[in-house]
Amino acid sequence: MTDEAFMRRAIDLSLSSLRSPGGGPFGAVVVKDGKLVAEGFNQVAAHNDPTAHAEVVAIRRACQALETFDLTGCDIYTSCEPCPMCLSAIYWSRIGRIYYANDRVDAAAIGFRDDLLYHEIPLPLDQRAVPSVRLLADEGKVAFDEWEVKTDKTLY
């Protein structure tokens, strides 16, 4: 299949999703070595899960299908430029390339908050809309200290 064919599949998923109860206009596919590994579409309202974005669903399914958390060698095709959460999931999964159709400005124009989130991230913590309060840092560091010396850890 071609890049365009994979993108068309992501777009088809977005259309199918939005036309079903509780669906949103987002679809994504994960591809490895020219083969479709997994698909995802927006399931936020359908599952009452704010993390069930198309890209996250596709990444979860790809990890299950490939039995790994490391998607090195995979690409993702998504109907919209990933929001910061999805972009983070893409980076954490080590996907190598992102192809997208709509961008964050297009998403903002139809009421999605991606652009707001991109604006918030670089702000200092005390200037963000959602307050962040550090609490019990010394107690919290115990787990990090143990991780640091753990000899049988799996890095991810």
Side-chain angles (χ1 to χ4, degrees), residues 72-156:
T72 297
C74 293
D75 296 326
I76 191 164
Y77 296 76
T78 178
S79 63
C80 187
E81 177 184 5
C83 74
M85 177 186 68
C86 293
L87 184 62
S88 296
I90 290 165
Y91 273 81
W92 280 115
S93 69
R94 297 184 180 98
I95 285 175
R97 182 169 298 177
I98 303 165
Y99 296 90
Y100 64 93
N102 298 303
D103 66 17
R104 66 179 88 165
V105 176
D106 299 325
I110 62 167
F112 288 92
R113 303 170 34 159
D114 303 38
D115 218 24
L116 166 73
L117 296 172
Y118 274 107
H119 172 75
E120 283 277 307
I121 289 171
L123 293 176
L125 294 178
D126 63 348
Q127 293 179 20
R128 291 184 183 170
V130 177
S132 294
V133 180
R134 191 167 188 182
L135 190 62
L136 299 176
D138 291 337
E139 291 179 37
K141 192 168 182 313
V142 171
F144 279 21
D145 291 341
E146 286 188 29
W147 174 262
E148 187 174 32
V149 298
K150 185 175 172 66
T151 58
D152 63 341
K153 60 188 165 197
T154 300
L155 294 175
Y156 54 88

Side-chain angles (χ1 to χ4, degrees), residues 21-22 42-53:
N42 183 281
Q43 297 178 28
V44 171
H47 291 198
N48 293 317
D49 179 354
T51 69
H53 290 199

Side-chain angles (χ1 to χ4, degrees), residues 16-25 41-48 52:
S16 181
S17 175
L18 82 88
R19 292 171 181 160
S20 67
F41 53 88
N42 183 281
Q43 297 178 28
V44 171
H47 291 198
N48 293 317

Side-chain angles (χ1 to χ4, degrees), residues 7-22:
M7 182 57 73
R8 283 190 184 99
R9 181 61 188 148
I11 292 168
D12 287 345
L13 288 165
S14 74
L15 290 167
S16 181
S17 175
L18 82 88
R19 292 171 181 160
S20 67

Side-chain angles (χ1 to χ4, degrees), residues 47-71:
H47 291 198
N48 293 317
D49 179 354
T51 69
H53 290 199
E55 297 91 336
V56 171
V57 171
I59 288 167
R60 288 174 180 162
R61 290 178 176 170
C63 289
Q64 290 172 347
L66 297 173
E67 297 181 339
T68 182
F69 59 81
D70 184 343
L71 297 181

